[in-house]
Amino acid sequence: MGLKTAAEYRQSLRDGRVVYLNGGQVEDVTAHPALRVGVDTAAFDYEMAEMPEYRDLAVVTDEKTGEPISRYYYTPKNSGDLLKRHELMVTGTRANQGIVPFTKDIGADSMNAVSMTAQMMGKKEYVERAENFRAYLQKNDLSMAGAMTDVKGNRVLRPSDPRQAHPDYYVRIVDRNRDGIVVRGAKVHITAAAYFNELLIMPCRNMSEADADYAVSFAIPANTKGVVQICHPFHYQIGADNFPVDIPVRNHTDSMIIFDDVLVPWDRVFLAGEWEFAMPLVYNFATLHRHTGCSYHIPILEILVGMAQAIAEYNGIDRVSHIREQITDLAIQLQTLKSLSKASCLDYEIYGGIPIPNRTVTNIAKYNYANSWHNCTKLIQDIAGGLLITAPTYRDWQNPKTRGYIEKYLGGKAGISTEDRLRMFQIIRHALSAESEVVAIHAEGSLAAQRMMILVEAMGDIQECKQWAIGLAGSKKAAADT
Ligand SMILES: Cc1cc2nc3c(=O)[nH]c(=O)nc-3n(C[C@H](O)[C@H](O)[C@H](O)COP(=O)(O)OP(=O)(O)OC[C@H]3O[C@@H](n4cnc5c(N)ncnc54)[C@H](O)[C@@H]3O)c2cc1C
């Protein structure tokens, strides 16, 4: 095997996996009218590797085998590698209508986090398993989901706390035998898992000794016996009410994945009871995946900035001072995200022998865009005006009895067609959906999760600042005591 074509990727999904959507079981995810949108969105990663203009970005030569492999599964060696991967995600999302293909990036984040944690544990068998699994992913060019988020039940209770309504709110080991471990539980919000080949499972929080059975990480093919996926409906489809667009619709669904006593062979197990390493694994994955979040949010933010400027011009208000202020605010957000994403690669850190984007900078970058997302959407809503939600539909546009009125009265600045203006409202309405706001806030971890990591990472600096302040105050005793 080597690199897969997009057609081979589609074929690989016809494997008997158990997937439900909208109340029914999906026989073939590549043929289902809704899920096919997700498959096409993901397939773009494979298409990029076949397109001459993206080939150098998407593909690298494996030093060990001399074979071409996906850049995602290449173990980064330096900041140049981190920057290239960042560029791949930004470019891939731009070229895929503003939706990240997701096919291997989250899987690679999980794979790297598992490799780093295995090295940090110093357990030879885990290091070997991780590297063997990476070689398998490289050789077979597999798509892979990263499944960290448990359903959790009562959030403030530990997984093993008897006050939880049942013991399966976090994925756990229910049996160990000669062949492997048997796992039970459910993960939720797992992006695109319905049309990926492999699932890499990790714990989602720190664990205590009592939670040892919940400290579990493993990888299994998506069609493994006992794995059931329930997807949410696609929130956006171009229907008869919308102006048709001549570019394919891109989108993803996310799965709740149930592990109904699933047997995982030992060579696919990366953590099984080493509860002290649950948190390092979470931290490693969180940093890598938040950097992925920053990368794919750059094109999303670029589109918002572009829409804000376009509708301001269409409405003739682009030179008005408060509108220019609002566009400036949006530009500041975009440039901050771009700069921090790059800075985190340049100022990289090494954990478990693998360079990763700077933890503090990455978490600040993710926190900053997530925390300001609603403000960005507010600015665009203000610039665009109420037609964002009150505009007539494409069906009214097509109706000869109403078209003339719409064309005459819903125009903006002279020289801009009413149709172009209505089309712009349509894509802004889609871009400002509640879905995109929830993605910004929760995907890659809630706001508090980033703040927690920022404080932990910054505490060394904070203590040094405190010592300086104490020294400046002349309090020698206090300085010595701290
Ligand atoms: C579109 C989308 C895609 C996603 N894709 C993936 C994916 O591919 N893989 C994956 O693993 N995850 C994925 N996620 C999950 C994402 O990481 C979680 O949504 C996020 O971590 C929040 O978890 P939650 O949704 O369970 O919300 P909750 O954990 O219920 O959070 C809600 C609020 O409760 C607070 N809270 C939670 N627990 C505690 C506590 N113990 N103490 C105090 N406060 C607490 C949080 O800070 C937050 O304010 C995705 C999420 C979304 C929305």
Side-chain angles (χ1 to χ4, degrees):
M1 281 298 291
L3 291 172
K4 268 195 174 68
T5 63
E8 287 166 338
Y9 157 66
R10 287 189 175 87
Q11 180 57 36
S12 72
L13 302 175
R14 298 179 190 119
D15 60 0
R17 61 189 54 213
V18 179
V19 173
Y20 290 89
L21 174 72
N22 290 339
Q25 186 168 354
V26 178
E27 288 307 320
D28 177 355
V29 294
T30 67
H32 187 277
L35 280 178
R36 197 172 51 204
V37 172
V39 174
D40 291 345
T41 303
F44 188 67
D45 257 342
Y46 291 96
E47 287 162 14
M48 277 183 90
E50 296 177 79
M51 294 159 91
E53 66 267 44
Y54 301 128
R55 175 91 183 174
D56 283 350
L57 204 50
V59 178
V60 287
T61 304
D62 181 19
E63 300 100 346
K64 283 189 211 142
T65 62
E67 294 291 320
I69 57 169
S70 164
R71 181 175 296 281
Y72 285 116
Y73 292 131
Y74 177 73
T75 309
K77 309 281 185 299
N78 48 44
S79 63
D81 289 339
L82 296 175
L83 283 167
K84 275 277 182 206
R85 185 186 190 282
H86 168 64
E87 197 187 331
L88 171 58
M89 277 183 287
V90 174
T91 307
T93 308
R94 277 190 192 134
N96 207 25
Q97 341 300 354
I99 303 284
V100 62
F102 247 132
T103 321
K104 293 170 227 163
D105 44 23
I106 186 167
D109 292 337
S110 319
M111 183 69 252
N112 286 339
V114 160
S115 291
M116 289 156 66
T117 312
Q119 292 283 359
M120 288 160 86
M121 272 192 275
K123 275 198 167 181
K124 194 165 162 270
E125 72 264 33
Y126 281 148
V127 174
E128 280 175 10
R129 284 178 200 170
E131 284 320 301
N132 289 343
F133 186 55
R134 181 192 296 277
Y136 175 74
L137 294 170
Q138 290 173 338
K139 193 165 161 228
N140 296 284
D141 202 21
L142 296 167
S143 53
M144 184 163 75
M148 172 166 274
T149 310
D150 288 282
V151 285
K152 296 185 286 218
N154 184 333
R155 271 75 178 130
V156 297
L157 299 180
R158 304 201 65 80
S160 62
D161 193 308
R163 290 171 296 169
Q164 289 276 19
H166 61 69
D168 299 329
Y169 276 128
Y170 291 77
V171 171
R172 67 181 176 124
I173 302 171
V174 291
D175 192 20
R176 295 163 192 256
N177 58 42
R178 217 185 45 184
D179 300 326
I181 55 173
V182 178
V183 294
R184 184 185 303 160
K187 298 280 183 181
V188 70
H189 321 298
I190 309 307
T191 303
Y195 34 89
F196 284 175
N197 303 113
E198 293 277 340
L199 313 172
L200 201 159
I201 285 73
M202 298 159 284
C204 77
R205 54 166 297 157
N206 66 332
M207 299 287 174
S208 67
E209 194 168 357
D211 304 316
D213 285 339
Y214 298 87
V216 60
S217 174
F218 57 91
I220 42 170
N223 65 348
T224 302
K225 185 165 173 275
V227 173
V228 176
Q229 299 198 41
I230 308 171
C231 308
H232 67 72
F234 284 73
H235 296 295
Y236 179 65
Q237 311 271 341
I238 296 262
D241 281 342
N242 298 107
F243 284 86
V245 282
D246 210 11
I247 45 177
V249 177
R250 299 297 199 212
N251 218 330
H252 284 299
T253 183
D254 310 274
S255 297
M256 175 161 83
I257 308 179
I258 295 101
F259 302 90
D260 197 2
D261 289 2
V262 173
L263 175 69
V264 183
W266 284 114
D267 64 348
R268 292 294 200 101
V269 177
F270 308 119
L271 190 75
E274 296 84 354
W275 56 273
E276 308 94 314
F277 287 94
M279 198 57 191
L281 179 50
V282 171
Y283 261 39
N284 291 336
F285 174 74
T287 303
L288 292 164
H289 195 46
R290 282 173 198 161
H291 194 263
T292 292
C294 293
S295 304
Y296 76 75
H297 268 88
I298 288 173
I300 299 176
L301 205 42
E302 285 173 339
I303 293 171
L304 293 191
V305 170
M307 292 187 308
Q309 179 66 24
I311 201 67
E313 291 178 17
Y314 288 8
N315 288 347
I317 51 172
D318 52 305
R319 304 245 147 230
V320 174
S321 66
H322 78 271
I323 301 294
R324 286 168 74 101
E325 290 298 320
Q326 290 174 325
I327 301 276
T328 308
D329 284 347
L330 288 167
I332 288 171
Q333 285 305 329
L334 176 58
Q335 295 309 325
T336 304
L337 180 56
K338 283 183 172 179
S339 305
L340 290 179
S341 303
K342 278 197 179 150
S344 63
C345 296
L346 295 171
D347 194 13
Y348 68 90
E349 297 167 319
I350 296 183
Y351 288 92
I354 297 183
I356 64 165
N358 184 288
R359 283 182 166 184
T360 316
V361 181
T362 298
N363 277 279
I364 291 173
K366 182 348 173 136
Y367 175 78
N368 189 58
Y369 80 70
N371 194 42
S372 52
W373 202 262
H374 289 68
N375 192 47
C376 292
T377 60
K378 180 192 88 177
L379 297 175
I380 299 166
Q381 285 166 357
D382 188 45
I383 294 169
L387 271 181
L388 254 188
I389 57 167
T390 65
T393 68
Y394 179 59
R395 285 196 239 215
D396 300 308
W397 178 256
Q398 285 176 300
N399 184 344
K401 289 189 177 152
T402 46
R403 166 86 170 251
Y405 296 130
I406 295 171
E407 192 144 22
K408 176 173 177 185
Y409 290 112
L410 293 187
K413 192 167 84 174
I416 304 294
S417 78
T418 302
E419 180 177 343
D420 284 349
R421 189 164 177 253
L422 293 176
R423 283 178 173 278
M424 191 54 66
F425 284 125
Q426 175 173 300
I427 62 159
I428 297 177
R429 192 160 48 245
H430 167 49
L432 302 193
S433 66
E435 184 193 4
S436 73
E437 292 178 351
V438 177
V439 169
I441 293 284
H442 277 300
E444 295 91 37
S446 65
L447 297 171
Q450 284 110 63
R451 291 185 72 91
M452 198 169 73
M453 270 187 85
I454 291 165
L455 186 63
V456 168
E457 295 297 319
M459 198 37 89
D461 275 358
I462 292 169
Q463 288 296 347
E464 277 183 29
C465 297
K466 184 191 77 178
Q467 291 298 349
W468 189 25
I470 288 171
L472 289 174
S475 316
K476 294 196 175 51
K477 179 162 185 326
D481 287 348
T482 53

